[in-house]
Amino acid sequence: MTSRTLRRRLHHGDVDGKKQEHLEASSGLDGLDEPLLGNYEHDDSHSEGNTNEDLWDDERRKEHLHWTLLFSQLIAQWAQWFANIVLGSGSLIGRILPFSSYTQRGKSNKLFPLSLSPLQEERLKNLRQRLEVPFDGSRVEHQDALKQLWRLAYPERELPSLKSELWKEMGWQGSDPSTDFRGGGFISLENLIFFAQRYPESFQRLLHKQDGTRAEWEYPFAVAGINISFMLAQMLDLQSGKPTSLAGIRFLELLGEDEMAFDNLYCVAFYMMDAQWLAKRASYMEFNDVLKSTRTQLERELALEDVINVRDLPAYNLLKR
């Protein structure tokens, strides 16, 4: 674009509703007070043609970037699929390489054994047995567990009947807590009891929503706990023959170090979820999105190379006994 063109455009420009004729004497880029990439009206057909060509080039560049990103995502998904096959217990490569294999995500690059130790096998079996137990409100031991949870949550209050409006204060949706378990099973109640016993200060802070600025429509504490138990079981791939996800494989290592690794990880996940809730300034209808973010963050922390115990997770530092 020539100096003459610039002078002509600025001469006829309308700034603040007034003609700016005093810019006629300027030359080159002197006195130019608008960006060169702004939306201008060109007086000559040559400049208009160049603008159309530039717009066409921009569109082609955008389309190229779009397809490049799409192919990158497909390649990443294919790589993850291939890694899952390599790590699977029944894979051909797993049989050819009996010692170890590895996968990499982000900055994590760690060897993972394809076979479990007898201790890991036993603990994984026990954990799966716990996951298979549904909550049964007619069983005395399950009723006693609910009563225990109430006493831990409200040690100075009188125990209500098993069907009472008071249970809603803990975050059950109705007067009968047994109707809220659904897919969570009895282990979700065990997780809540473990949380209250092992980390009582953190449990009480979450129960009474004492951290941060809370939403007008908060998540229900007890029901949120059931959802976290269910989310963890899915994330760790505990229902399959042998976990093949990175998070599931790393969890097996933690299980070898700590028999209660699932319960401890549950406590970390619960407090992490509340931190995400506060950071996003979320409300009730956004709970599922917060839970997804929690899962993503937990997967990242499990992938860290120096994590060999639940206590090594950065988010573990959030918990207080």
Side-chain angles (χ1 to χ4, degrees):
M1 186 178 293
T2 64
S3 302
R4 186 180 186 88
T5 304
L6 286 173
R7 284 199 302 271
R8 182 170 62 254
R9 172 163 24 94
L10 291 174
H11 175 74
H12 293 289
D14 190 0
V15 180
D16 295 329
K18 299 178 181 179
K19 298 293 184 180
Q20 302 297 306
E21 298 180 358
H22 64 278
L23 295 177
E24 177 66 33
S26 64
S27 61
L29 299 180
D30 296 337
L32 184 63
D33 59 355
E34 294 181 273
L36 288 173
L37 297 180
N39 295 322
Y40 299 120
E41 295 182 2
H42 294 273
D43 295 332
D44 55 284
S45 59
H46 177 71
S47 297
E48 188 174 305
N50 288 340
T51 301
N52 290 334
E53 290 178 3
D54 291 341
L55 290 173
W56 176 246
D57 288 341
D58 288 340
E59 290 298 324
R60 285 189 294 183
R61 280 195 294 269
K62 290 178 181 177
E63 184 177 359
H64 176 72
L65 288 173
H66 168 76
W67 286 108
T68 300
L69 177 60
L70 180 61
F71 282 121
S72 298
Q73 292 173 340
L74 289 174
I75 291 171
Q77 293 175 0
W78 178 87
Q80 181 61 43
W81 171 81
F82 181 75
N84 288 341
I85 292 179
V86 171
L87 293 169
S89 58
S91 69
L92 177 62
I93 298 177
R95 293 170 184 168
I96 297 174
L97 304 175
F99 297 105
S100 62
S101 181
Y102 68 92
T103 186
Q104 182 173 356
R105 177 179 291 183
K107 297 182 179 179
S108 176
N109 186 1
K110 188 177 179 67
L111 295 176
F112 297 107
L114 291 177
S115 59
L116 301 180
S117 69
L119 181 62
Q120 287 173 313
E121 290 277 10
E122 180 183 0
R123 290 178 174 177
L124 181 59
K125 178 182 177 181
N126 292 336
L127 178 57
R128 282 179 173 153
Q129 288 176 347
R130 292 175 61 196
L131 288 166
E132 292 173 358
V133 178
F135 181 86
D136 185 351
S138 65
R139 294 178 60 175
V140 175
E141 57 267 37
H142 291 195
Q143 295 175 5
D144 290 342
L146 266 178
K147 295 175 183 177
Q148 182 185 8
L149 178 61
W150 178 274
R151 293 189 184 99
L152 290 167
Y154 308 108
E156 299 180 358
R157 295 178 60 179
E158 183 179 352
L159 177 68
S161 64
L162 292 176
K163 292 184 179 180
S164 170
E165 293 294 316
L166 293 175
W167 287 100
K168 293 181 180 180
E169 297 180 23
M170 193 188 292
W172 302 100
Q173 295 184 96
S175 60
D176 183 3
S178 64
T179 62
D180 283 335
F181 285 94
R182 298 184 182 89
F186 184 60
I187 193 173
S188 58
L189 179 54
E190 291 180 318
N191 291 153
L192 284 167
I193 292 173
F194 179 89
F195 192 8
Q197 290 176 325
R198 185 64 62 90
Y199 308 99
E201 182 179 346
S202 292
F203 178 89
Q204 291 292 332
R205 294 192 70 83
L206 294 189
L207 172 63
H208 298 290
K209 308 291 173 50
Q210 294 176 346
D211 293 333
T213 302
R214 312 306 306 197
E216 290 186 12
W217 197 4
E218 277 287 322
Y219 65 84
F221 174 80
V223 175
I226 294 175
N227 278 271
I228 291 172
S229 296
F230 185 76
M231 178 271 288
L232 279 181
Q234 285 190 319
M235 183 189 78
L236 301 177
D237 204 14
L238 294 176
Q239 303 298 336
S240 62
K242 182 179 292 186
T244 57
S245 65
L246 178 59
I249 294 170
R250 293 306 308 274
F251 173 73
L252 294 181
E253 297 180 354
L254 304 184
L255 195 60
E257 296 291 327
D258 177 14
E259 184 176 8
M260 305 304 293
F262 184 85
D263 301 79
N264 278 307
L265 192 61
Y266 169 87
C267 301
V268 173
F270 208 143
Y271 220 96
M272 182 187 288
M273 184 279 294
D274 190 73
Q276 291 271 350
W277 178 273
L278 293 174
K280 294 177 179 291
R281 298 180 179 180
S283 187
Y284 181 86
M285 299 302 293
E286 300 167 289
F287 178 78
N288 286 337
D289 292 334
V290 173
L291 198 60
K292 290 177 183 178
S293 299
T294 302
R295 172 172 175 163
T296 299
Q297 184 180 349
L298 199 56
E299 286 174 331
R300 290 197 190 106
E301 293 200 8
L302 283 170
L304 295 176
E305 192 170 336
D306 56 348
V307 172
I308 59 175
N309 194 293
V310 175
R311 293 189 298 271
D312 297 327
L313 295 170
Y316 182 83
N317 296 320
L318 295 172
L319 295 173
K320 297 178 182 179
R321 293 182 180 272

